[in-house]
Amino acid sequence: GKVFGNEAALRQLTDIVWPSIRAMAEKNIADAQHSAPERIVVLEAAVLIEADWLDLADQIWVTVVKPAVAIERACTRDNLSADAVQARLDAQLSNDERRSYADHVIDNSSDEAHLLDQVASLRAQVSTPRLCQTSPPPSDQGAIDDSGFTCALDKVRRWSRESTILLPVDKR
């Protein structure tokens, strides 16, 4: 929480961390596509837009949540003050900014059933995903075979708003 609200410190941190995270994502995507070219890769990356990694994907799925809901959930989940959560939200793109990059928007402001219905509807439009690469936190890196959507959905449930899901698809 020390860098949120401190633009210079946040920029310094992201300049150090983001290149390594992108390199790991690129490697995992390439490995997955090499081992099974028909594979669809799901990359869950909270900072996909902010880090300008849009070129990694054919589709961008953005998760949004009403700010009041995000604050309530984060305060409960992480035992943070509303001011601390607001500082984090202020350091992120707004829902409208995220929507402007999205091919599909998942609204996580309601209950879990509504979230699952949205994901199931979008999921039905895509072939079976087999890889989920998680981005934040860096200690959570790695490819998880099978049920990529389930892995990404678990992240969406936990992170309320900060999630962006992308789907690089073989364009042959």
Side-chain angles (χ1 to χ4, degrees):
K2 294 180 181 180
V3 298
F4 293 106
N6 182 336
E7 192 172 323
L10 182 59
R11 172 57 57 195
Q12 183 179 16
L13 177 64
T14 59
D15 286 349
I16 293 167
V17 175
W18 286 357
S20 296
I21 294 173
R22 181 185 171 112
M24 281 190 276
E26 287 174 334
K27 181 182 182 320
N28 285 333
I29 290 167
D31 289 351
Q33 291 177 331
H34 177 74
S35 67
E38 75 286 353
R39 176 177 283 187
I40 292 175
V41 179
V42 176
L43 172 66
E44 191 286 326
V47 296
L48 177 83
I49 297 166
E50 294 90 330
D52 195 25
W53 298 343
L54 300 170
D55 62 307
L56 294 177
D58 289 329
Q59 291 186 28
I60 309 296
W61 295 18
V62 173
T63 304
V64 297
V65 67
K66 293 175 184 170
V69 174
I71 290 170
E72 178 184 340
R73 289 178 182 170
C75 287
T76 301
R77 180 190 64 226
D78 300 333
N79 198 28
L80 296 171
S81 71
D83 289 341
V85 176
Q86 186 64 58
R88 289 181 181 197
L89 292 177
D90 291 344
Q92 298 173 5
L93 295 177
S94 70
N95 285 336
D96 287 340
E97 289 169 312
R98 288 177 189 281
R99 279 186 181 97
S100 73
Y101 291 92
D103 293 300
H104 302 283
V105 177
I106 300 167
D107 188 342
N108 192 14
S109 297
S110 189
D111 60 18
E112 187 172 332
H114 183 253
L115 173 68
L116 294 173
D117 287 346
Q118 292 175 84
V119 173
S121 175
L122 291 172
R123 164 66 179 86
Q125 300 174 34
V126 181
S127 300
T128 305
R130 298 195 181 107
L131 175 77
C132 176
Q133 164 65 38
T134 59
S135 182
S139 62
D140 198 22
Q141 291 293 326
I144 301 172
D145 285 331
D146 210 23
S147 68
F149 268 88
T150 301
C151 178
L153 181 57
D154 288 344
K155 301 293 181 188
V156 170
R157 285 182 189 139
R158 282 197 318 232
W159 290 339
S160 304
R161 171 178 139 201
E162 308 106 40
S163 299
T164 305
I165 300 170
L166 65 111
L167 298 165
V169 180
D170 184 3
K171 296 180 182 179
R172 285 185 275 156

mmCIF file of all heavy atoms in Angstrom, residues 13-31:
data_model
loop_
_atom_site.group_PDB
_atom_site.id
_atom_site.type_symbol
_atom_site.label_atom_id
_atom_site.label_comp_id
_atom_site.label_asym_id
_atom_site.label_seq_id
_atom_site.Cartn_x
_atom_site.Cartn_y
_atom_site.Cartn_z
ATOM 1 N N LEU A 13 8.142 1.433 -9.235
ATOM 2 C CA LEU A 13 7.845 0.019 -9.018
ATOM 3 C C LEU A 13 7.412 -0.657 -10.320
ATOM 4 O O LEU A 13 7.908 -1.731 -10.666
ATOM 5 C CB LEU A 13 6.760 -0.139 -7.960
ATOM 6 C CG LEU A 13 6.297 -1.567 -7.689
ATOM 7 C CD1 LEU A 13 7.430 -2.404 -7.114
ATOM 8 C CD2 LEU A 13 5.106 -1.560 -6.739
ATOM 9 N N THR A 14 6.508 -0.036 -11.054
ATOM 10 C CA THR A 14 6.019 -0.657 -12.285
ATOM 11 C C THR A 14 7.123 -0.749 -13.341
ATOM 12 O O THR A 14 7.160 -1.711 -14.104
ATOM 13 C CB THR A 14 4.788 0.074 -12.851
ATOM 14 O OG1 THR A 14 5.116 1.440 -13.127
ATOM 15 C CG2 THR A 14 3.623 -0.003 -11.882
ATOM 16 N N ASP A 15 8.014 0.232 -13.391
ATOM 17 C CA ASP A 15 9.125 0.165 -14.340
ATOM 18 C C ASP A 15 10.043 -1.016 -14.052
ATOM 19 O O ASP A 15 10.677 -1.553 -14.964
ATOM 20 C CB ASP A 15 9.936 1.465 -14.312
ATOM 21 C CG ASP A 15 9.228 2.625 -14.987
ATOM 22 O OD1 ASP A 15 8.188 2.399 -15.664
ATOM 23 O OD2 ASP A 15 9.689 3.776 -14.833
ATOM 24 N N ILE A 16 10.103 -1.431 -12.806
ATOM 25 C CA ILE A 16 10.930 -2.575 -12.414
ATOM 26 C C ILE A 16 10.190 -3.888 -12.656
ATOM 27 O O ILE A 16 10.742 -4.831 -13.216
ATOM 28 C CB ILE A 16 11.330 -2.472 -10.924
ATOM 29 C CG1 ILE A 16 12.264 -1.280 -10.710
ATOM 30 C CG2 ILE A 16 11.967 -3.772 -10.430
ATOM 31 C CD1 ILE A 16 12.465 -0.916 -9.243
ATOM 32 N N VAL A 17 8.935 -3.949 -12.254
ATOM 33 C CA VAL A 17 8.195 -5.215 -12.212
ATOM 34 C C VAL A 17 7.536 -5.585 -13.542
ATOM 35 O O VAL A 17 7.580 -6.744 -13.960
ATOM 36 C CB VAL A 17 7.139 -5.162 -11.085
ATOM 37 C CG1 VAL A 17 6.273 -6.402 -11.080
ATOM 38 C CG2 VAL A 17 7.824 -4.991 -9.742
ATOM 39 N N TRP A 18 6.906 -4.639 -14.217
ATOM 40 C CA TRP A 18 6.111 -4.964 -15.400
ATOM 41 C C TRP A 18 6.888 -5.635 -16.521
ATOM 42 O O TRP A 18 6.365 -6.572 -17.144
ATOM 43 C CB TRP A 18 5.369 -3.736 -15.903
ATOM 44 C CG TRP A 18 4.192 -3.358 -15.049
ATOM 45 C CD1 TRP A 18 3.705 -4.017 -13.953
ATOM 46 C CD2 TRP A 18 3.357 -2.227 -15.222
ATOM 47 N NE1 TRP A 18 2.626 -3.357 -13.439
ATOM 48 C CE2 TRP A 18 2.387 -2.247 -14.195
ATOM 49 C CE3 TRP A 18 3.339 -1.179 -16.135
ATOM 50 C CZ2 TRP A 18 1.407 -1.279 -14.073
ATOM 51 C CZ3 TRP A 18 2.364 -0.209 -16.013
ATOM 52 C CH2 TRP A 18 1.397 -0.258 -14.998
ATOM 53 N N PRO A 19 8.107 -5.218 -16.845
ATOM 54 C CA PRO A 19 8.821 -5.926 -17.929
ATOM 55 C C PRO A 19 9.031 -7.417 -17.634
ATOM 56 O O PRO A 19 8.902 -8.258 -18.535
ATOM 57 C CB PRO A 19 10.157 -5.176 -18.035
ATOM 58 C CG PRO A 19 9.844 -3.800 -17.528
ATOM 59 C CD PRO A 19 8.852 -4.024 -16.414
ATOM 60 N N SER A 20 9.334 -7.754 -16.405
ATOM 61 C CA SER A 20 9.527 -9.166 -16.043
ATOM 62 C C SER A 20 8.218 -9.943 -16.110
ATOM 63 O O SER A 20 8.188 -11.091 -16.564
ATOM 64 C CB SER A 20 10.118 -9.289 -14.633
ATOM 65 O OG SER A 20 11.398 -8.713 -14.609
ATOM 66 N N ILE A 21 7.136 -9.321 -15.651
ATOM 67 C CA ILE A 21 5.840 -9.995 -15.700
ATOM 68 C C ILE A 21 5.422 -10.218 -17.152
ATOM 69 O O ILE A 21 4.951 -11.293 -17.516
ATOM 70 C CB ILE A 21 4.770 -9.196 -14.925
ATOM 71 C CG1 ILE A 21 5.105 -9.190 -13.427
ATOM 72 C CG2 ILE A 21 3.383 -9.783 -15.161
ATOM 73 C CD1 ILE A 21 4.206 -8.290 -12.606
ATOM 74 N N ARG A 22 5.633 -9.220 -18.000
ATOM 75 C CA ARG A 22 5.291 -9.382 -19.414
ATOM 76 C C ARG A 22 6.118 -10.503 -20.039
ATOM 77 O O ARG A 22 5.589 -11.333 -20.787
ATOM 78 C CB ARG A 22 5.494 -8.095 -20.193
ATOM 79 C CG ARG A 22 5.102 -8.297 -21.656
ATOM 80 C CD ARG A 22 5.381 -7.116 -22.544
ATOM 81 N NE ARG A 22 5.164 -7.505 -23.922
ATOM 82 C CZ ARG A 22 4.196 -7.047 -24.682
ATOM 83 N NH1 ARG A 22 3.324 -6.175 -24.222
ATOM 84 N NH2 ARG A 22 4.078 -7.456 -25.929
ATOM 85 N N ALA A 23 7.397 -10.532 -19.742
ATOM 86 C CA ALA A 23 8.261 -11.580 -20.299
ATOM 87 C C ALA A 23 7.773 -12.967 -19.877
ATOM 88 O O ALA A 23 7.761 -13.899 -20.689
ATOM 89 C CB ALA A 23 9.710 -11.355 -19.876
ATOM 90 N N MET A 24 7.382 -13.109 -18.617
ATOM 91 C CA MET A 24 6.845 -14.399 -18.156
ATOM 92 C C MET A 24 5.552 -14.748 -18.882
ATOM 93 O O MET A 24 5.339 -15.897 -19.277
ATOM 94 C CB MET A 24 6.605 -14.375 -16.648
ATOM 95 C CG MET A 24 7.867 -14.575 -15.835
ATOM 96 S SD MET A 24 7.503 -14.838 -14.088
ATOM 97 C CE MET A 24 7.349 -13.155 -13.533
ATOM 98 N N ALA A 25 4.679 -13.759 -19.055
ATOM 99 C CA ALA A 25 3.419 -13.999 -19.758
ATOM 100 C C ALA A 25 3.690 -14.408 -21.200
ATOM 101 O O ALA A 25 3.087 -15.365 -21.707
ATOM 102 C CB ALA A 25 2.536 -12.762 -19.703
ATOM 103 N N GLU A 26 4.573 -13.692 -21.880
ATOM 104 C CA GLU A 26 4.896 -14.026 -23.262
ATOM 105 C C GLU A 26 5.449 -15.450 -23.377
ATOM 106 O O GLU A 26 5.096 -16.194 -24.290
ATOM 107 C CB GLU A 26 5.906 -13.035 -23.835
ATOM 108 C CG GLU A 26 5.318 -11.671 -24.120
ATOM 109 C CD GLU A 26 6.364 -10.656 -24.561
ATOM 110 O OE1 GLU A 26 7.558 -10.801 -24.198
ATOM 111 O OE2 GLU A 26 5.982 -9.716 -25.273
ATOM 112 N N LYS A 27 6.325 -15.826 -22.458
ATOM 113 C CA LYS A 27 6.909 -17.168 -22.476
ATOM 114 C C LYS A 27 5.828 -18.226 -22.256
ATOM 115 O O LYS A 27 5.777 -19.228 -22.971
ATOM 116 C CB LYS A 27 7.997 -17.311 -21.427
ATOM 117 C CG LYS A 27 8.642 -18.701 -21.438
ATOM 118 C CD LYS A 27 9.688 -18.851 -20.366
ATOM 119 C CE LYS A 27 10.365 -20.208 -20.390
ATOM 120 N NZ LYS A 27 9.530 -21.358 -20.659
ATOM 121 N N ASN A 28 4.977 -18.017 -21.272
ATOM 122 C CA ASN A 28 3.917 -18.993 -21.002
ATOM 123 C C ASN A 28 2.930 -19.103 -22.156
ATOM 124 O O ASN A 28 2.468 -20.201 -22.487
ATOM 125 C CB ASN A 28 3.194 -18.667 -19.701
ATOM 126 C CG ASN A 28 4.008 -19.022 -18.481
ATOM 127 O OD1 ASN A 28 4.839 -19.918 -18.520
ATOM 128 N ND2 ASN A 28 3.783 -18.316 -17.395
ATOM 129 N N ILE A 29 2.606 -17.983 -22.784
ATOM 130 C CA ILE A 29 1.719 -18.007 -23.950
ATOM 131 C C ILE A 29 2.388 -18.769 -25.084
ATOM 132 O O ILE A 29 1.790 -19.656 -25.702
ATOM 133 C CB ILE A 29 1.338 -16.578 -24.388
ATOM 134 C CG1 ILE A 29 0.416 -15.937 -23.349
ATOM 135 C CG2 ILE A 29 0.684 -16.586 -25.763
ATOM 136 C CD1 ILE A 29 0.237 -14.438 -23.528
ATOM 137 N N ALA A 30 3.641 -18.450 -25.376
ATOM 138 C CA ALA A 30 4.371 -19.122 -26.455
ATOM 139 C C ALA A 30 4.507 -20.618 -26.183
ATOM 140 O O ALA A 30 4.312 -21.443 -27.089
ATOM 141 C CB ALA A 30 5.744 -18.486 -26.637
ATOM 142 N N ASP A 31 4.837 -20.981 -24.944
ATOM 143 C CA ASP A 31 4.968 -22.394 -24.589
ATOM 144 C C ASP A 31 3.647 -23.127 -24.785
ATOM 145 O O ASP A 31 3.620 -24.241 -25.314
ATOM 146 C CB ASP A 31 5.430 -22.559 -23.137
ATOM 147 C CG ASP A 31 6.885 -22.165 -22.915
ATOM 148 O OD1 ASP A 31 7.611 -21.923 -23.906
ATOM 149 O OD2 ASP A 31 7.285 -22.071 -21.730
#
